[in-house]
Amino acid sequence: MLIAQISDPHVRPAGQLYQGVVDSNRMLEEAIAHLHALDRRPDLVLLTGDLVDEGRPEEYAQARRLLAKLSIPYLVIPGNHDHRENFRTAFADHAYLPATGALHYCIDTHPVRIVALDSCIPGLHHGHVDAEGLAWLQRTLEADREKPTLLMLHHPPFTSGIPYMDSYRYIDTAPLEAIVRGAGNIELVLCGHVHRTMLKRWAGTVVCSCPSSTTEIALQLAPDAAPASYLGRPACMLHLWDEAEGMVSHVRHIGRMDGPYPFA
């Protein structure tokens, strides 16, 4: 199974730029075209939050227009820039999304089971899953302790070292970590939020954050660093599952590159 991941596209109303600088709508279109042009078609696309920038209905209308061009099945979760109820309304035809409450769900129709956690707190930017959500996760994971499972949420459950991102990180990770560690069959935890690729061994598995299809958060580790981003190379990720080899993940840069040349 080949799973593509796009994160943090920050779609804006038609004709408006992200942060007044970046044409995030065009960049999502280019990300979709990039997936369509791959030499192996992904079986599924995961969009791991911040689909839009301000959670406004007109942004979701634009996101749906752009995503209508995607000819591959896709699943969505919200990020801290999304608005839960506007998100739910915009994707009302996605029957896997709950009709009320947090947008947790499980898809078990693929070789890899997809478990999605809504780590967003309405009106706030940091991440957390409450006791009810953690209980749901516990029940869901206990339902099948054998099938390879991919867990996705927007906020990475660890500190990045980038101070202005860690100020609204996932807080109180220990209860989530205990549940994930107890599962034993979670191949990978996927997230977004930081607009950078990061890897961490965590809770007996590996957490992987996806870069954004728009901007790249500056890698600044000084505790007094001021928030900054770059218009760098946008990227997506590809997660390849093989029954014999397990899961391997690749960063795939979006856009034209010189080549290909006839050497490896």
Side-chain angles (χ1 to χ4, degrees):
M1 183 179 184
L2 182 61
I3 301 168
Q5 182 184 4
I6 294 174
S7 200
D8 299 83
H10 287 271
V11 169
R12 298 288 287 136
Q16 295 187 25
L17 300 178
Y18 171 52
Q19 300 296 327
V21 176
V22 182
D23 190 350
S24 56
N25 296 351
R26 175 185 57 79
M27 296 174 85
L28 178 56
E29 287 186 292
E30 291 175 354
I32 291 170
H34 181 80
L35 295 184
H36 288 162
L38 293 173
D39 64 343
R40 176 174 170 180
R41 177 189 175 92
D43 300 290
L44 183 67
V45 179
L46 307 178
L47 290 110
T48 46
D50 284 359
L51 272 68
V52 306
D53 190 43
E54 296 181 352
R56 293 155 54 186
E58 57 267 36
E59 291 179 320
Y60 287 113
Q62 177 67 5
R64 290 306 307 258
R65 283 191 289 269
L66 296 172
L67 289 169
K69 301 176 182 180
L70 180 59
S71 62
I72 304 166
Y74 68 90
L75 303 174
V76 293
I77 57 171
N80 56 294
H81 281 260
D82 290 300
H83 182 284
R84 181 179 287 167
E85 296 311 318
N86 290 344
F87 186 104
R88 195 192 318 269
T89 298
F91 293 97
D93 57 323
H94 285 230
Y96 58 85
L97 291 175
T100 61
L103 297 171
H104 312 311
Y105 61 86
C106 177
I107 303 295
D108 200 9
T109 55
H110 302 286
V112 176
R113 181 175 57 159
I114 310 295
V115 177
L117 273 181
D118 179 355
S119 61
C120 300
I121 305 170
L124 299 175
H125 281 290
H126 63 271
H128 184 65
V129 176
D130 62 16
E132 183 179 355
L134 292 174
W136 174 88
L137 177 63
Q138 181 87 56
R139 293 192 302 271
T140 301
L141 294 177
E142 286 179 349
D144 190 338
R145 292 188 173 274
E146 299 298 327
K147 186 170 183 177
T149 296
L150 186 156
L151 175 65
M152 65 172 179
L153 68 165
H154 180 66
H155 298 81
F158 59 87
T159 56
S160 68
I162 303 172
Y164 42 87
M165 295 304 297
D166 289 338
S167 64
Y168 50 98
R169 65 188 184 277
Y170 188 109
I171 61 170
D172 189 20
T173 60
L176 175 61
E177 181 176 0
I179 293 171
V180 172
R181 188 177 297 278
N185 59 332
I186 297 180
E187 293 288 325
L188 192 61
V189 179
L190 298 182
C191 47
H193 187 54
V194 185
H195 292 216
R196 299 189 59 84
T197 307
M198 301 185 298
L199 297 171
K200 181 176 173 62
R201 183 160 179 80
W202 176 81
T205 184
V206 175
V207 185
C208 179
S209 75
C210 183
S212 170
S213 60
T214 56
T215 56
E216 180 179 275
I217 299 292
L219 180 56
Q220 300 182 107
L221 304 178
D224 58 349
S229 294
Y230 291 96
L231 183 55
R233 289 291 300 273
C236 59
M237 295 199 76
L238 298 174
H239 309 286
L240 180 62
W241 164 256
D242 180 85
E243 186 174 356
E245 300 294 335
M247 186 80 77
V248 62
S249 297
H250 299 266
V251 176
R252 179 81 187 214
H253 294 291
I254 298 166
R256 295 183 59 83
M257 293 179 283
D258 292 342
Y261 301 107
F263 55 82

